[in-house]
Amino acid sequence: MVSTLETRQTVEEVAGDYKYGFVTDIEMVKAPKGLNEDVIRFISAKKEEPEWLLDWRLKSYQKWLKMEEPEWAMLNYVKPDFQDIYYYAAPKSADDRPKSLDEVDPELLATYEKLGISLQEQKVLSGVAVDVVFDSVSVATTFRETLKEKGVIFCSISEAARDYPELMQKYLGSVVPVADNFYAALNSAVFTDGTFVYIPKGVRCPMELSTYFRINEANTGQFERTLIIADDESYVSYLEGCTAPMRDENQLHAAVVEIVMLENAEVKYSTVQNWYPGDKDGKGGIYNFVTKRAACRGTNSKVSWTQVETGSAITWKYPSCILQGDGSVGEFYSVAITNNYQQADTGTKMIHIGKNTSSTIISKGISAGKAQNIYRGLVKVMPNAENTRNFTQCDSLLIGDECGAHTVPYIEAKNPTAQVEHEATTSKISDEQLFYCLQRGLDVEEAVSLIVNGFCKEVMQQLPMEFAVEAQKLLGISLEGSVG
Amino acid sequence: MLEIKNLHVEVAGQKILKGIDLTINAGEVHAIMGPNGSGKSTLSYAICGKDGYEVTEGSITYKGKNFLELEANERAAEGAFLGFQYPVEIPGVSNMNFLKTAVNSIRKYKGEDEMAPVEFLKLVRAKAAELEMDPEMLKRAVNVGFSGGEKKRNEMVQMAVLDPGFSVLDETDSGLDIDALRVVADGINRMRAPEKSILVITHYQRLLDYVVPDFVHVLADGKIVKSGDKSLAMELEKQGYGHLGIDENAA
Ligand SMILES: Nc1ncnc2c1ncn2[C@@H]1O[C@H](COP(=O)(O)OP(=O)(O)O)[C@@H](O)[C@H]1O
Ligand SMILES: [Mg+2]
């Protein structure tokens, strides 16, 4: 029917009109192409890392060599050639590490302005500090002095390796072990940059912290590594955004994010993932293989993952919660939009170890074009986890007849007191809904936006204000002002 | 104001409307009655431009504009409103947000600025109050979990807020108890004005006791078979469609 075609085109416009696809022309320093111990030594030397970290990388590399790329996801793609990738690429200007924002290369500043991110502290949205990672290096971190007054450490992970070795040695790899999976092992060997956050005891972080990841260089992988430690009674809200240029070849992004929460600590981690999704025919786009995991170690600690995934050609991502502390709480709120030939296999794992732990999973998958959207989730209750609860809601929305949505829930309850609930629905934007909106004056684009936004509401309202706006725009919602 | 000439409409390859002529002038209220399946809803969809309702012959003009060249949302922005027989649910979208989007879409079409939020709130609250709608309903998702009567009341509130020049109300009265019927009638009567026209589609005479039409037309098998004034509705009520030689079950 005509309306369905129109809807599909609109969604293509909404999701497919990629505004961040430009390339910054800047002089780069790169490691030789391919992966071997020398390349790892090159990366480690560039970052002036301590010896223990180089050893850690080399051990990870040895483990990775013995591992196989996973096949279990419902993803269909040409496997990356790991010898045809640059593992390190950094702007030359960042080589002698700018001491302050004034020293950051103007070309980089302009790039971020264009992406809607100002690095001039006075111009930044008040209350958001940002770390920006350009290919393999962090090029600027704002508000670090303001944060330091509260004892909050907010810096690049490369700096943390030099300046906070005790915290790094204690926690790096403690949530996602080196050999956890193929991509995590690869990341552990070659990770280049990312963000390090430490919130001291009793501190409520005075501003939102954020990292903005940008892939720029061709044939380059981005291997970001983020570590967040929330000490007793602390709180932080952390945001993450990502974009990349439009290119015909696929690019690899394999990240690891680890979060540790101690007694009564709370972390809110929000992602708006908008890597280049490839073109209408499925050419190009980012391969997004990500391991994100949070360990609620302290009693009554809480972690909340919120993700809005609109980009990437391939998404393989399961932000998970290890609910170890008694009474700890894990939440996962997800919107995943796939269009054209995009494929997303995403979900979460909730591992209930402590008593009285609870978890909530709200997943909204939207598929259009020829895309495939898979929710894959595991709820596991360990034998000693008394009185645990999980509630899972998985909703899929289909636009057009050529896309697919699949729900793959795994439940392993090994304690009889566990209460595990799972609900799933699949629906379509109906011609009746569309006509109803059009008859009230909305154009097709506005109508689709409104309906999709309504569908995602429970997730979108979890996002911090600054991000909600960007995310809503990404979903095609008619808010004023547009980026790019 | 609204002029329909020799309108032929096909749905899924079937001829449903077979030559409708209907002119509704400013200030007039017309009623269309007819048995189920005679094409009443089809007429309302064709006027408002629903996809799949193909006009094969004839014309629809509104205020001099050729409606057949306009998309459904453009016809709405030009001032056409359809009160649905079965209003649809839009989960997660509050009535308030829906109305705001609608109001501002229409304004955008007309090249006007968005309505100031405070002004909009005042307008919606006032209209809801006039139609005795609980303000809490404005926060709820569009038609989700609404009773039949609440849905129809919601249609009336939307109509009042959008303030259309031409309204077609498709069996807005069906399945309502007497109180809800009164609300709907009240909503329609509030829209009556010298510059506005209204088309009421109804299966029963009942609504016409409250909304007194200037003209009544009988639709059967895709054609207007008889037109008259209010007394025609009374006549139908007493004697049934059979009296006009219409087979009540010929859908
Ligand atoms: N979408 C459709 N597909 C196929 N036939 C339809 C469709 N809509 C209406 N019709 C047919 O058109 C005729 C008129 O329907 P309708 O306009 O709904 O009548 P009324 O509103 O007077 O009851 C009926 O025979 C109905 O089956
Ligand atoms: Mg009907």
Side-chain angles (χ1 to χ4, degrees):
Chain A
M1 291 204 70
V2 188
S3 64
T4 325
L5 178 67
E6 268 175 2
T7 312
R8 217 175 305 150
Q9 284 163 348
T10 306
V11 170
E12 276 168 16
E13 279 160 24
V14 166
D17 187 11
Y18 194 73
K19 296 195 181 79
Y20 311 94
F22 64 91
V23 179
T24 306
D25 189 10
I26 192 165
E27 204 183 336
M28 299 292 281
V29 175
K30 286 193 266 193
K33 212 178 212 176
L35 184 54
N36 52 48
E37 291 207 352
D38 287 342
V39 167
I40 293 169
R41 286 178 205 282
F42 176 96
I43 294 170
S44 191
K46 272 281 170 209
K47 301 199 169 284
E48 298 164 33
E49 282 175 358
E51 194 63 27
W52 69 264
L53 191 49
L54 174 62
D55 288 347
W56 194 81
R57 286 175 179 280
L58 292 172
K59 274 183 203 143
S60 306
Y61 176 62
Q62 287 307 325
K63 289 194 173 147
W64 177 74
L65 285 175
K66 296 188 194 84
M67 295 174 84
E68 300 272 327
E69 208 169 340
E71 302 272 359
W72 45 261
M74 282 172 75
L75 298 171
N76 203 338
Y77 62 97
V78 180
K79 301 245 162 70
D81 176 353
F82 292 97
Q83 294 306 336
D84 195 33
I85 294 173
Y86 289 105
Y87 287 83
Y88 181 89
K92 201 166 189 311
S93 54
D95 230 20
D96 24 61
R97 218 173 314 126
K99 298 282 173 298
S100 74
L101 289 173
D102 305 334
E103 292 174 29
V104 175
D105 190 326
E107 191 64 40
L108 286 174
L109 292 180
T111 298
Y112 287 96
E113 290 286 350
K114 212 162 153 185
L115 295 169
I117 296 157
S118 177
L119 300 179
Q120 318 302 130
E121 289 188 355
Q122 60 276 20
K123 281 202 225 150
V124 170
L125 281 167
S126 57
V128 184
V130 57
D131 180 21
V132 291
V133 176
F134 189 85
D135 290 328
S136 306
V137 285
S138 165
V139 291
T141 311
T142 64
F143 290 108
R144 43 208 293 169
E145 292 310 315
T146 318
L147 292 164
K148 221 175 199 167
E149 285 164 24
K150 290 267 184 184
V152 173
I153 303 171
F154 178 52
C155 65
S156 75
I157 202 144
S158 304
E159 284 168 274
R162 293 187 296 266
D163 301 343
Y164 308 100
E166 317 79 40
L167 285 170
M168 279 287 280
Q169 286 205 57
K170 182 165 177 191
Y171 292 108
L172 188 73
S174 77
V175 187
V176 179
V178 161
D180 184 84
N181 66 69
F182 182 82
Y183 300 108
L186 176 64
N187 175 286
S188 300
V190 302
F191 75 87
T192 39
D193 227 332
T195 306
F196 177 84
V197 175
Y198 173 75
I199 315 290
K201 280 193 174 97
V203 170
R204 213 187 143 80
C205 189
M207 53 178 72
E208 310 261 2
L209 303 184
S210 72
T211 306
Y212 195 92
F213 293 98
R214 172 77 178 166
I215 295 177
N216 186 63
E217 192 65 16
N219 302 314
T220 299
Q222 191 175 57
F223 304 92
E224 97 212 30
R225 185 100 196 178
T226 291
L227 176 57
I228 298 173
I229 303 149
D231 213 327
D232 298 348
E233 323 276 340
S234 68
Y235 169 84
V236 65
S237 167
Y238 176 89
L239 329 167
E240 166 194 62
C242 349
T243 57
M246 294 160 79
R247 289 217 173 83
D248 284 349
E249 68 277 8
N250 296 105
Q251 274 183 282
L252 179 62
H253 172 260
V256 172
V257 174
E258 297 177 282
I259 307 178
V260 178
M261 277 138 298
L262 304 182
E263 306 285 308
N264 290 306
E266 181 177 348
V267 174
K268 222 174 132 54
Y269 191 107
S270 314
T271 304
V272 174
Q273 186 266 105
N274 189 23
W275 296 118
Y276 178 53
D279 70 7
K280 280 189 169 48
D281 305 316
K283 198 166 191 198
I286 300 291
Y287 286 173
N288 193 33
F289 297 105
V290 173
T291 306
K292 290 184 168 176
R293 198 171 298 158
C296 286
R297 298 213 172 129
T299 51
N300 300 321
S301 55
K302 178 178 174 183
V303 66
S304 181
W305 296 103
T306 304
Q307 62 174 23
V308 176
E309 304 278 319
T310 61
S312 296
I314 304 286
T315 297
W316 181 98
K317 181 181 173 191
Y318 316 90
S320 304
C321 304
I322 301 171
L323 304 171
Q324 191 178 352
D326 290 347
S328 57
V329 177
E331 293 173 344
F332 175 74
Y333 299 98
S334 172
V335 169
I337 295 191
T338 50
N339 191 17
N340 297 318
Y341 285 89
Q342 279 179 278
Q343 304 172 60
D345 193 307
T346 185
T348 185
K349 286 190 263 185
M350 294 291 177
I351 315 293
H352 293 260
I353 300 171
K355 296 180 178 55
N356 304 312
T357 50
S358 64
S359 59
T360 304
I361 299 170
I362 309 284
S363 164
K364 306 277 179 177
I366 300 137
S367 314
K370 296 188 165 66
Q372 294 295 326
N373 207 320
I374 297 105
Y375 167 81
R376 185 184 303 275
L378 168 66
V379 176
K380 187 169 184 169
V381 179
M382 302 304 273
N384 293 330
E386 299 286 329
N387 299 316
T388 60
R389 274 180 302 134
N390 163 266
F391 174 74
T392 300
Q393 169 91 44
C394 287
D395 299 319
S396 304
L397 185 69
L398 301 174
I399 301 170
D401 308 320
E402 293 176 281
C403 54
H406 313 271
T407 301
V408 191
Y410 305 89
I411 298 169
E412 292 175 33
K414 294 180 181 158
N415 182 301
T417 61
Q419 287 178 41
V420 179
E421 269 180 89
H422 179 93
E423 289 175 10
T425 67
T426 300
S427 54
K428 280 193 164 200
I429 293 186
S430 70
D431 290 345
E432 266 58 41
Q433 279 177 321
L434 266 186
F435 179 59
Y436 193 70
C437 293
L438 296 192
Q439 211 301 306
R440 296 303 185 248
L442 283 69
D443 63 30
V444 179
E445 190 176 315
E446 288 169 325
V448 170
S449 294
L450 194 79
I451 295 166
V452 168
N453 179 41
F455 175 75
C456 302
K457 187 180 172 194
E458 291 151 280
V459 174
M460 300 300 279
Q461 65 193 13
Q462 296 295 328
L463 287 172
M465 205 51 168
E466 293 81 4
F467 249 33
V469 177
E470 190 187 339
Q472 282 173 342
K473 261 189 233 151
L474 270 178
L475 296 195
I477 285 156
S478 57
L479 286 170
E480 286 174 88
S482 62
V483 188
Chain B
M1 201 141 108
L2 181 78
E3 206 170 24
I4 298 173
K5 282 189 187 156
N6 191 32
L7 184 70
H8 288 67
V9 174
E10 286 185 15
V11 184
Q14 276 195 44
K15 294 181 168 60
I16 308 294
L17 298 185
K18 303 163 183 173
I20 303 269
D21 289 289
L22 179 65
T23 300
I24 307 178
N25 294 309
E28 291 177 357
V29 175
H30 290 229
I32 287 197
M33 303 182 73
N36 277 329
S38 56
K40 302 185 297 294
S41 294
T42 301
L43 177 62
S44 70
Y45 290 150
I47 296 171
C48 293
K50 187 173 183 182
D51 267 339
Y53 289 73
E54 198 195 338
V55 175
T56 51
E57 227 186 303
S59 65
I60 304 173
T61 42
Y62 174 68
K63 288 188 176 171
K65 290 233 158 72
N66 179 0
F67 254 26
L68 300 183
E69 285 175 354
L70 300 181
E71 299 292 336
N73 60 306
E74 294 171 329
R75 297 185 201 191
E78 291 289 346
F81 178 92
L82 169 56
F84 283 78
Q85 186 172 359
Y86 304 108
V88 299
E89 301 185 357
I90 311 180
V93 177
S94 73
N95 259 326
M96 206 60 148
N97 187 20
F98 181 67
L99 273 172
K100 192 164 82 186
T101 312
V103 164
N104 287 328
S105 296
I106 291 173
R107 287 187 159 225
K108 191 169 83 186
Y109 174 85
K110 292 181 179 163
E112 295 168 6
D113 287 340
E114 290 197 353
M115 191 181 271
V118 179
E119 191 190 341
F120 171 76
L121 246 138
K122 266 192 193 160
L123 172 71
V124 175
R125 290 212 179 117
K127 296 301 180 188
E130 278 177 20
L131 292 159
E132 297 168 40
M133 179 194 257
D134 179 354
E136 284 302 306
M137 299 281 285
L138 293 168
K139 295 182 196 159
R140 284 176 51 185
V142 179
N143 295 322
V144 176
F146 287 20
S147 70
E150 284 170 338
K151 283 183 182 169
K152 298 298 170 69
R153 192 194 300 264
N154 204 25
E155 295 290 287
M156 293 299 104
V157 171
Q158 290 182 15
M159 179 171 75
V161 170
L162 297 176
D163 195 26
F166 167 71
S167 308
V168 48
L169 302 152
D170 189 4
E171 298 208 30
T172 306
D173 54 327
S174 295
L176 298 186
D177 62 26
I178 194 71
D179 288 333
L181 185 70
R182 203 180 41 74
V183 169
V184 164
D186 183 38
I188 300 170
N189 285 327
R190 281 172 190 279
M191 289 309 292
R192 288 187 100 146
E195 73 284 4
K196 291 182 191 298
S197 11
I198 298 172
L199 177 60
V200 178
I201 294 174
T202 182
H203 195 63
Y204 311 98
Q205 192 297 123
R206 195 169 70 138
L207 177 68
L208 304 182
D209 287 339
Y210 298 90
V211 180
V212 182
D214 300 302
F215 298 94
V216 175
H217 312 277
V218 179
L219 188 66
D221 191 26
K223 285 190 201 129
I224 289 177
V225 293
K226 192 162 188 190
S227 296
D229 62 10
K230 181 167 192 304
S231 60
L232 177 56
M234 313 282 268
E235 194 182 314
L236 280 174
E237 176 84 352
K238 268 195 223 113
Q239 300 175 312
Y241 291 107
H243 152 80
L244 289 174
I246 299 165
D247 181 356
E248 186 89 67
N249 301 312

